[in-house]
């Protein structure tokens, strides 16, 4: 059984939709862990999703914003206590 409307979407658009969701997910997780890796990954995936014409541009833009926020958090952490990761305690 197929979901209504999915047969009309091209594989490129489906890939772009997946990239938008992955960008959002990586950006969100990157706020808590591995922001050095997940932040830039979220930015690249969001840019690719927007360039390829995703049907979820809001999610891609949010992933882009979260990726940038990851890098801002990283810069703050590095300047505050000269570390590349979160430290509790």
């Amino acid at each position: 059984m197929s979901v209504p409307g999915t047969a009309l979407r091209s594989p490129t658009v489906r890939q772009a939709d997946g990239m938008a969701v992955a960008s959002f997910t990586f950006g969100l997780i990157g706020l808590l862990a591995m922001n050095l890796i997940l932040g830039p990954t979220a930015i690249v995936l969001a840019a690719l999703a927007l360039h390829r014409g995703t049907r979820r541009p809001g999610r891609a833009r949010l992933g882009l914003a979260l990726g940038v926020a990851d890098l801002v958090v990283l810069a703050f952490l590095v300047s505050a206590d000269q570390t590349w990761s979160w430290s509790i305690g």
Side-chain angles (χ1 to χ4, degrees):
M1 218 176 193
S2 66
V3 178
T6 57
L8 300 176
R9 292 190 286 172
S10 70
T12 304
V13 173
R14 277 185 281 165
Q15 285 179 342
D17 290 348
M19 286 181 193
V21 172
S23 171
F24 171 74
T25 305
F26 287 163
L28 194 59
I29 294 170
L31 287 174
L32 301 174
M34 299 190 318
N35 45 5
L36 179 63
I37 297 167
L38 295 178
T41 304
I43 292 170
V44 169
L45 286 174
L48 285 172
L50 290 170
H51 179 72
R52 292 184 181 183
T54 182
R55 294 178 71 180
R56 299 173 184 222
R59 186 144 312 155
R61 287 187 194 106
L62 189 55
L64 181 66
L66 286 170
V68 170
D70 291 348
L71 297 179
V72 169
V73 167
L74 178 66
F76 174 75
L77 289 174
V78 168
S79 68
D81 59 1
Q82 283 70 40
T83 185
W84 287 94
S85 63
W86 290 93
S87 58
I88 298 174

